[in-house]
């Protein structure tokens, strides 16, 4: 055997074009192939070989038969003329919301699926591990899906059990905007997620550059994004030598005194600590906080600069709110790309885990140096 000629075992490292060339060589030599036989010979999954056969059939190079392929005949080509190309794979997608944040993720996934000749089946769920599992199981029971893109609730024991279950499924799974924790690595799962800590850091540095020296954080602890936002906020404060201890950090999910009472409490803390800027997650909370500040007679951004997080509705506020914008469509797009590559290359492909950087969209709420107020301006407004 020539040193340049691959052995049978070398099929595991073949790229898709090389695999298809090998398929054609086998067909020319034997007239037909079976999916199972050629998958064993090349060391890849049967799903990968089926995809290769589909691609070759679309180019008119082979004829698909049950369990394999043959060299094409003129009759097969004429019968296929004008027939729509079938989808090569079906992908299930389960997201926790269909009206905030996730529609753009779905849009990106659908557009990429069209490019990849994949079918996307979307189910809406809730931020609840039990419901996530029900929706995934419904796809598994009623649809012939080849892979799964899911944004599960990973909190608590139910969330961790769900993660272990997803990791054990016999089809590939890609997490969207989720990561497995260190204590439960889920080694088979791939993911694409926004680097929310990076986004929070960009927001804090922007506020610092505008002249703010005490920058607080108001975030909803019930959101899976919040731990990353808070981590990025803390890291940026530390890097800028702003004391983390004593900085305003409040949970917008705790509204014991109602929203107005909670916002009054936040402003009291800002007044005591000299805080002149706040990072607020999500931007629906940022809109409400801006309105509360304006109602209290505060100038935004003069007395209180605000940056929101998510950029879903931040532009609707008066004044319009600067916001960190995650690349939502690209989260969906890259999730489908990961799935397509996994289905094409099989188990030999290394697990990929990808983080995407968000961007800061600047608007009126955070641009300009803080006003140097008379002593107690916030307190007088309360």
């Amino acid at each position: 055997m020539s040193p340049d000629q691959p052995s049978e075992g070398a099929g595991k490292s073949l790229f898709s074009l090389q695999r298809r060339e090998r398929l054609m060589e086998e067909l020319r030599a034997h007239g037909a192939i079976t999916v199972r036989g050629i998958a064993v010979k090349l060391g890849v999954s049967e799903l990968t070989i089926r995809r290769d056969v589909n691609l070759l059939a679309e180019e008119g190079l082979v004829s698909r038969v049950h369990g394999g392929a043959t060299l094409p005949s003129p009759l097969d080509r004429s019968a296929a003329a004008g027939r729509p190309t079938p989808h090569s794979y079906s992908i299930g997608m389960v997201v926790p919301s269909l009206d905030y944040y996730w529609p753009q993720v779905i849009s990106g996934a659908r557009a990429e699926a069209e490019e990849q000749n994949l079918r996307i089946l979307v189910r809406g769920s809730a931020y609840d591990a039990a419901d996530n599992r029900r929706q995934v199981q419904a796809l598994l029971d009623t649809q012939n899906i080849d892979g799964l893109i899911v944004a599960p609730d990973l909190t608590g024991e139910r969330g961790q059990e769900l993660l272990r279950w997803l990791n054990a499924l016999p089809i590939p799974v890609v997490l969207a905007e989720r990561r497995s924790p260190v204590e439960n690595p889920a080694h088979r799962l791939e993911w694409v997620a926004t680097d929310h800590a990076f986004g929070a850091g960009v927001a804090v540095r922007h506020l610092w550059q505008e002249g703010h020296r005490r920058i607080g954080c108001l975030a909803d602890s019930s959101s899976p994004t919040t731990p990353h936002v808070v981590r990025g906020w803390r890291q940026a404060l530390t890097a800028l030598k702003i004391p983390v201890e004593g900085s305003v950090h409040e949970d917008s999910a705790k509204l014991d005194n109602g929203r107005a009472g909670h916002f009054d409490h936040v402003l009291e803390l800002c007044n005591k600590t000299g805080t002149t800027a706040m990072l607020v997650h999500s931007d629906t909370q940022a809109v409400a906080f801006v309105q509360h500040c304006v109602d209290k007679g505060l100038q935004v951004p003069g007395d209180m600069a605000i940056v929101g997080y998510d950029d879903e509705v931040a532009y609707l506020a008066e004044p319009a709110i600067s916001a960190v914008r995650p690349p939502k469509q690209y989260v969906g797009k890259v999730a489908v790309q990961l799935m397509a590559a996994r289905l094409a290359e099989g188990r030999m492909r290394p697990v990929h885990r990808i983080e995407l950087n968000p961007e800061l969209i600047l608007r009126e709420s955070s641009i300009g140096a803080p006003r140097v107020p008379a002593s107690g301006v916030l307190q007088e407004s309360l």
Side-chain angles (χ1 to χ4, degrees), residues 6 11 53 77 113 126 189 260 288 297 347 362 376:
V53 168
R77 286 196 294 273
L189 300 185
R347 65 183 183 279
L362 294 178

Side-chain angles (χ1 to χ4, degrees), residues 269-284:
L269 292 175
C270 290
N271 187 69
K272 291 176 182 177
T273 59
T275 298
T276 58
M278 292 290 291
L279 171 62
V280 184
H281 174 261
S282 64
D283 62 344
T284 54

Side-chain angles (χ1 to χ4, degrees), residues 132-184:
N132 298 158
R133 181 160 179 166
R134 279 193 296 271
Q135 301 305 328
V136 170
Q137 192 64 59
L139 284 170
L140 295 173
D141 291 343
T142 62
Q143 304 288 342
N144 184 24
I145 63 170
D146 302 296
L148 181 68
I149 297 170
V150 61
D153 175 16
L154 302 180
T155 59
E157 182 51 41
R158 280 190 175 183
Q160 294 309 297
E161 176 56 34
L162 173 61
L163 190 65
R164 289 188 285 269
W165 179 69
L166 291 171
N167 189 58
L169 288 177
I171 60 174
V173 177
V174 174
L175 303 183
E177 290 291 23
R178 301 290 187 267
R179 309 162 179 82
S180 61
V182 174
E183 62 272 18
N184 188 0

